[in-house]
Amino acid sequence: MRKTFLFIAIALTIVSIIFSALPLDTLALAPIGLALLFIFLAFKKSDAVQRKFIKVLFSVTYICALVVLGKTFLIKDKVAVDTKFEQQKVESKKEDIKDLEGLE
C-alpha cells in the first residue's frame, strides 16, 4: 500500500511541477492538493527510516503551491488599449459612410 501511495504521490508531484510552471492559474491547485493527500498517506504508512524521500516530495509540492498562490495573488493581468486599432476602426467607419453616400 505504501508503494502505491508513493507512486501516485510522485506522479502527482510531477504534474504539480508542470502545472505550476504553466499559466493555468488556480487549476494547478488540484494536483497539488491530491499530491499532498497521497504524500500524507505514504508518510503515515512509512517507517521512520523511509520518510526522507517523502519529506522531499512534500517540500517540492509545498513550493509548487507557494508558486501558484504567488502567481495568483501577486501578478496582476493588465489589458492594454490598442489605440491604433481603435483609430483604424473610426477611419474605416468614415470611409464606409463616404462610400455609401457616393453610391446615392
Side-chain angles (χ1 to χ4, degrees), residues 1-6 37-51 54:
M1 198 66 160
R2 175 190 175 273
K3 288 183 181 182
T4 306
F5 289 148
L6 194 58
L37 173 73
F38 282 105
I39 289 170
F40 176 74
L41 292 173
F43 185 80
K44 286 295 182 184
K45 295 285 183 180
S46 300
D47 295 334
V49 177
Q50 299 172 332
R51 291 183 176 174
I54 296 172

Side-chain angles (χ1 to χ4, degrees), residues 11-98:
L12 286 171
T13 302
I14 292 170
V15 171
S16 299
I17 293 169
I18 293 169
F19 276 24
S20 65
L22 296 174
L24 296 176
D25 205 31
T26 57
L27 183 64
L29 291 177
I32 290 172
L34 288 173
L36 289 174
L37 173 73
F38 282 105
I39 289 170
F40 176 74
L41 292 173
F43 185 80
K44 286 295 182 184
K45 295 285 183 180
S46 300
D47 295 334
V49 177
Q50 299 172 332
R51 291 183 176 174
K52 189 173 188 177
F53 181 68
I54 296 172
K55 290 178 183 178
V56 171
L57 281 179
F58 176 75
S59 299
V60 169
T61 308
Y62 184 71
I63 290 170
C64 287
L66 288 177
V67 167
V68 169
L69 292 174
K71 285 188 341 186
T72 301
F73 292 115
L74 299 178
I75 298 175
K76 302 294 180 195
D77 293 332
K78 296 180 183 177
V79 178
V81 178
D82 191 5
T83 56
K84 289 182 181 178
F85 178 72
E86 294 295 327
Q87 186 178 7
Q88 279 181 335
K89 249 179 25 177
V90 170
E91 290 174 3
S92 175
K93 282 184 182 181
K94 288 179 183 178
E95 287 178 13
D96 290 342
I97 290 172
K98 286 181 184 177

